Amino acid sequence: MKQNMSALFCGVLFSLGLGISGMVQPQKVTGFLDLFGSWDPSLIFVMFGAILVYSIGYRVVIRRKIPLFADNFVIPTKKEIDWRLLLGSSLFGIGWGLAGYCPGPAITSFVSFGHSSLLFVSSMLVSMFLFEQIQIRKAKS
Amino acid sequence: MIFFTESYRLAFLGGLLIGVAALVLLFLNGRILGVSGIIGGLFNPSTRREPWRVFFLMGMLLGGLVLKTLLSFPLGNSLERPTPILILAGVLVGWGTRLGSGCTSGHGVCGMSRLSPRSLLGTVIFMLFGILTVWLLKLLPGGAV
């Protein structure tokens, strides 16, 4: 239960961060990506702020043997660059540029119940679901 | 100084909050804050029974409600895109982030901070393709952006 409550808390905090930063405004995101037009660089400061906290904090936290409420840290260890990373990130970038939503802000915007976020989030969820089903089927065969 | 305008301050402040949220999740639960991974895990039998994923997403929706009602921050729908484009974008973002094992939070914030080579490359690629897409959209008749 402690893990669930902490996850809930982090979800709220994360969402507030996305909202305050402007990441939940698709027009601002496409403005940030519009490098060759009327570029709005403000969103780069979201990354600066987040990385400033996390890059320092990560190195402190990871010195502990285990997290406070769990038995172990679950950190990705994969090092090799593969076609999945390259193709996946490319497709994600195209989708991000098309709608101005990445997964986090899309979820936060969901409660606006606006036409664009409902459509985007539902197609994103269906796509993630189908992806997982195909992976499972592949693993079985 | 552009750096003192409100939108820069808010961007930085929001970024700090995002960093704190990711750090607290690591410190308490030992998990990486990556939204596409947290959602994707719900569709996989081996990680489906991890209720913290659902609690995290509920927290995000709760945060969205706070932003909308208490703080009256603008949420979504500032960009009018045709329905097929929105659906295509959702499909590409869903598939792409799962295939590439991460999005702006997992690769862009957590992975970049850990100096993970995969995340550094992933972030550079999705930023480049995002920039390219916005540029190409503007070349279309009517200039969609």
Side-chain angles (χ1 to χ4, degrees), chain B residues 13-94:
Chain B
L13 178 68
L16 292 176
L17 269 179
I18 292 168
V20 171
L23 193 59
V24 173
L25 191 70
L26 182 77
F27 174 65
L28 297 179
N29 292 8
R31 292 290 179 151
I32 294 289
L33 197 163
V35 178
S36 55
I38 291 175
I39 301 173
L42 288 173
F43 301 136
N44 190 305
S46 61
T47 46
R48 191 158 50 201
R49 282 175 204 85
E50 293 180 352
W52 71 271
R53 294 172 188 275
V54 179
F55 278 86
F56 181 84
L57 295 171
M58 288 195 322
M60 285 193 70
L61 294 177
L62 202 62
L65 280 175
V66 172
L67 286 164
K68 186 186 172 188
T69 54
L70 300 179
L71 305 173
S72 32
F73 264 90
L75 281 192
N77 66 29
S78 55
L79 196 65
E80 292 302 329
R81 293 275 198 241
T83 298
I85 294 290
L86 285 169
I87 294 176
L88 175 67
V91 168
L92 288 173
V93 169

Side-chain angles (χ1 to χ4, degrees), chain A residues 10 29 72 121:
Chain A
C10 291
V29 174
N72 53 310
V121 170

Side-chain angles (χ1 to χ4, degrees), chain A residues 3-4 6 15 24 27 34 41 45-46 50 58-59 68-69 74 80 88-89 93 98 101-102 104 111 124 127 132, chain B residues 3 8 15 27-30 44-45 52 60 68 76-78 81 90-91 95-96 98 104 113-114 118 126 130 138:
Chain A
Q3 272 201 47
N4 295 340
S6 52
S15 207
V24 297
Q27 203 149 28
D34 193 10
F45 286 85
V46 184
Y58 172 80
R59 282 159 182 83
L68 206 58
F69 298 155
V74 184
E80 57 283 14
S89 300
L98 282 178
Y101 281 122
C102 53
V111 293
M124 178 181 85
S127 179
E132 218 62 42
Chain B
F3 300 106
Y8 284 80
F27 174 65
L28 297 179
N29 292 8
N44 190 305
W52 71 271
M60 285 193 70
K68 186 186 172 188
N77 66 29
S78 55
R81 293 275 198 241
V91 168
W95 200 273
R98 294 306 292 141
T104 340
S113 298
R114 298 188 300 117
R118 277 174 57 85
F126 66 66
K138 291 215 307 185

